[in-house]
Amino acid sequence: MRKVIYWVHQSLDGFIEGPNGEFDWPSMGPELSAYSLELTDRVGAFAYGRKVWEMMSWYWPRAESMSTDPHDLAFAPIWRRTPKVVVSRTLTGAEWDAQVVGGDDLAKEMTALKEQPGGDLLLTGGAGAAAALTALGLIDEYQVIVHPVVLGGGRPVFPGGAERFDLRLAGSCVFDGRSVLLRYERAAG
């Protein structure tokens, strides 16, 4: 069965966006970029919540015309060729042949996706979709990149109301002498 991996960048104080929605603080140095590209190149599908989907589907189809950043130029073709899933209660369809799930039975829809053959599902960013899938016990692995910045407020990685659950550290790594990957799996039982 495929896993759902939650890949998220966070500040040291636990936020995925600053107080004004800013996301200008993650630093994609060469080591973190290489890890990110390897991870995204091997998964079977990208999954996004609606808000992150809107940002990704606007930027990545035209990234080469807007950026000269080596990471952006390497990721854009990966993004375009990888199947996409959007977790949303409000969308009924999405561009780029993305499949929309989250209607009447999110658990059933995501479980069916996990049971399909192929590589893992990579849920990127977004607190709402991650919270919904976490509450259903459908996220198998959490890959949290902690960046050396304190934002002092904003959108937390895990919004209020999350139920307590235990995790097991599966690995950690320092990238570029700045950011730290904490890789957790759900604890058994």
Side-chain angles (χ1 to χ4, degrees), residues 14-171:
F15 296 101
I16 62 172
E17 293 178 355
N20 299 308
E22 62 271 21
F23 191 69
D24 57 354
W25 45 269
S27 175
M28 290 297 284
E31 294 172 355
L32 180 54
S33 179
Y35 179 83
S36 171
L37 292 169
E38 184 275 326
L39 176 65
T40 57
D41 197 33
R42 70 176 163 82
V43 298
F46 296 139
Y48 305 105
R50 181 199 49 81
K51 184 177 177 183
V52 175
W53 167 251
E54 289 172 352
M55 177 189 68
M56 299 295 270
S57 65
W58 177 84
Y59 182 75
W60 291 111
R62 55 186 68 79
E64 292 94 341
S65 68
M66 299 169 54
S67 175
T68 59
D69 181 90
H71 177 82
D72 288 4
L73 298 177
F75 180 67
I78 295 170
W79 188 88
R80 286 192 293 267
R81 74 173 176 253
T82 303
K84 295 149 197 69
V85 176
V86 182
V87 179
S88 175
R89 292 182 306 264
T90 57
L91 291 180
T92 56
E95 298 176 302
W96 301 99
D97 296 321
Q99 178 179 352
V100 177
V101 299
D104 295 331
D105 195 347
L106 177 59
K108 182 178 177 181
E109 292 174 288
M110 284 303 294
T111 299
L113 285 171
K114 288 177 73 167
E115 291 173 346
Q116 292 177 1
D120 294 331
L121 303 161
L122 186 66
L123 175 63
T124 302
L133 295 176
T134 294
L136 294 169
L138 292 172
I139 296 182
D140 303 288
E141 184 175 312
Y142 297 80
Q143 292 200 21
V144 181
I145 303 294
V146 180
H147 292 271
V149 61
V150 173
L151 297 175
R155 181 181 299 265
V157 172
F158 295 101
E163 296 288 324
R164 179 180 172 160
F165 61 98
D166 292 325
L167 298 169
R168 181 184 66 77
L169 183 64

